Amino acid sequence: MLGRSAAFAALLALTCWVSPAHADDIDRPTRVGDKPINGSGQVTGATSLSVGFPYHEYTASKDGFVRIQMETTNVRASDNGGKAWRPYLRVVSVPNDARRGEAWSTNGQQNDPKTGRAVLVFRVKAGEKFTVIASLAQNFVKKKPDATANYKLIVTEVAQ
Amino acid sequence: MLRSLIRTATLGLVVSACAFGCGVDTEDDDNDSAEDAVRTDQDSLDRPTDTKINLEPGLWHDNKLVPGEGWHVYHFTAKTDGYVAFQMQAPPGHPNLWSYLRIVDKANNSQIWAGVGNKKTNLCDVIVNAEAGKSYDVIVTSQENSLLVGNQRQQTDGPYTVAVSPVDVVFP
């Protein structure tokens, strides 16, 4: 009896160890807490088969406009037949007194065979916060993490 | 594939927006589940009603979305390079017309912008770095229409204004 319980516990532990903590989706993205974006700057990351919809918190540092560019490159050169995965970039405003319920998204394009690129531009006020989701069109279509890629988010603010 | 992506993106964007606090009621009490075929008596994302209007910078167009004609497409050809803002505004507090815009760059066949409106202003604002000579489709609808699937009947009935305006911004 004890042996069977121990075997079950071991199997459960193994299952937990080999399974991803969770599989996220576009409605439940995964926060990348250690890489917030404050004003202009860059962050890098990667999508995986357990985290396909990572998001970074962006806080505007000035009144004006912001441009958020997302670039993707393959983890392995041979992935996706050697072509970079098409990015999927979404920005959602964190509600405040003056602003709520806004979102922008783009499926981007394959800029060249090795790089995918997506761009969003919108108005900001200093202190406003946004959720920036860096995913792939492939993940979006499949509604789950389905491809892996490296990504870079380049945030450029212009005062107005 | 692109149409599928667009449709999926539309639904996903709205669902996501709701998840982040927009609070759109996705229930449709008038849904006729007995019908299986796609409705042909109303327009849709794939079959928007062509207004045949070319938007000119600074000129606003007033129009109305009604059940059956809830997707309007306008056209814009940039005369110069530079950022432009596509804007759609509907009456704040309107019960079934929450502004929604899609800007499609047909030449690249892969670039799609989407925006959902600010609930307090019901103003949707999508900024695009336009290229001289390039044509864009400007698709106007409501969040409510963009959520419909299958045979659900359009409910949106209300006025809106659409325009394109140059934006004086230069990024380094």
Side-chain angles (χ1 to χ4, degrees):
Chain A
M1 180 65 182
L2 183 62
R4 186 176 298 171
S5 297
F8 177 74
L11 179 62
L12 186 63
L14 180 65
T15 302
C16 292
W17 182 66
V18 299
S19 299
H22 69 284
D24 57 359
D25 59 37
I26 192 65
D27 300 320
R28 286 163 295 189
T30 300
R31 178 171 172 263
V32 184
D34 61 339
K35 292 184 178 179
I37 307 167
N38 297 304
S40 296
Q42 295 185 14
V43 294
T44 58
T47 66
S48 68
L49 296 182
S50 58
V51 177
F53 300 86
Y55 79 84
H56 300 259
E57 294 166 335
Y58 158 60
T59 304
S61 68
K62 58 186 69 170
D63 293 359
F65 294 89
V66 64
R67 179 184 65 194
I68 300 181
Q69 296 170 282
M70 178 183 172
E71 293 180 358
T72 55
T73 55
N74 286 352
V75 175
R76 294 175 297 273
S78 60
D79 287 350
N80 194 31
K83 293 170 63 177
W85 290 105
R86 180 181 294 180
Y88 188 91
L89 175 62
R90 171 172 296 176
V91 176
V92 184
S93 66
V94 175
N96 59 32
D97 287 343
R99 179 174 226 164
R100 63 173 306 214
E102 289 171 287
W104 301 265
S105 67
T106 175
N107 68 336
Q109 60 181 315
Q110 280 144 331
N111 196 46
D112 58 56
K114 297 190 182 306
T115 311
R117 181 169 295 167
V119 182
L120 289 172
V121 176
F122 51 96
R123 302 169 208 267
V124 293
K125 289 185 177 178
E128 287 185 327
K129 295 181 181 297
F130 299 86
T131 296
V132 181
I133 303 170
S135 189
L136 307 173
Q138 174 74 4
N139 291 345
F140 193 82
V141 170
K142 297 287 186 181
K143 296 181 171 54
K144 64 176 184 176
D146 194 67
T148 58
N150 302 311
Y151 68 82
K152 179 194 292 183
L153 291 171
I154 306 165
V155 175
T156 308
E157 293 181 338
V158 172
Q160 194 76 7
Chain B
M1 174 65 183
L2 181 61
R3 283 186 175 180
S4 172
L5 184 61
I6 291 171
R7 185 181 294 127
T8 307
T10 304
L11 181 61
L13 174 64
V14 173
V15 170
S16 174
C18 293
F20 278 86
C22 298
V24 172
D25 182 3
T26 59
E27 293 295 326
D28 183 357
D29 296 330
D30 197 32
N31 180 28
D32 185 358
S33 58
E35 299 177 24
D36 292 329
V38 173
R39 300 190 74 93
T40 56
D41 60 344
Q42 62 183 25
D43 58 8
S44 64
L45 172 64
D46 293 335
R47 297 182 296 109
T49 299
D50 193 343
T51 65
K52 301 189 185 305
I53 292 174
N54 292 306
L55 296 175
E56 295 292 338
L59 294 179
W60 291 81
H61 283 273
D62 295 327
N63 208 333
K64 196 173 191 305
L65 295 174
V66 296
E69 192 180 308
W71 294 79
H72 286 168
V73 58
Y74 295 80
H75 309 278
F76 172 70
T77 302
K79 291 185 171 62
T80 58
D81 292 344
Y83 286 91
V84 295
F86 296 95
Q87 294 185 318
M88 172 192 179
Q89 185 155 32
H94 194 284
N96 56 36
L97 203 179
W98 189 8
S99 60
Y100 184 96
L101 274 176
R102 294 194 73 81
I103 314 301
V104 179
D105 176 353
K106 289 188 293 188
N108 279 325
N109 206 28
S110 62
Q111 293 194 19
I112 303 167
W113 297 265
V116 298
N118 183 313
K119 242 184 166 178
K120 286 189 174 180
T121 62
N122 210 344
L123 173 68
C124 181
D125 185 31
V126 180
I127 298 173
V128 172
N129 189 15
E131 297 177 37
K134 184 176 281 186
S135 295
Y136 302 84
D137 279 352
V138 181
I139 299 173
V140 170
T141 189
S142 66
Q143 291 286 1
E144 291 81 359
N145 284 346
S146 70
L147 282 167
L148 299 180
V149 294
N151 299 311
Q152 291 181 301
R153 192 180 299 276
Q154 294 175 2
Q155 301 292 317
T156 294
D157 190 346
Y160 71 85
T161 303
V162 63
V164 58
S165 306
V167 176
D168 186 18
V169 61
V170 177
F171 287 95

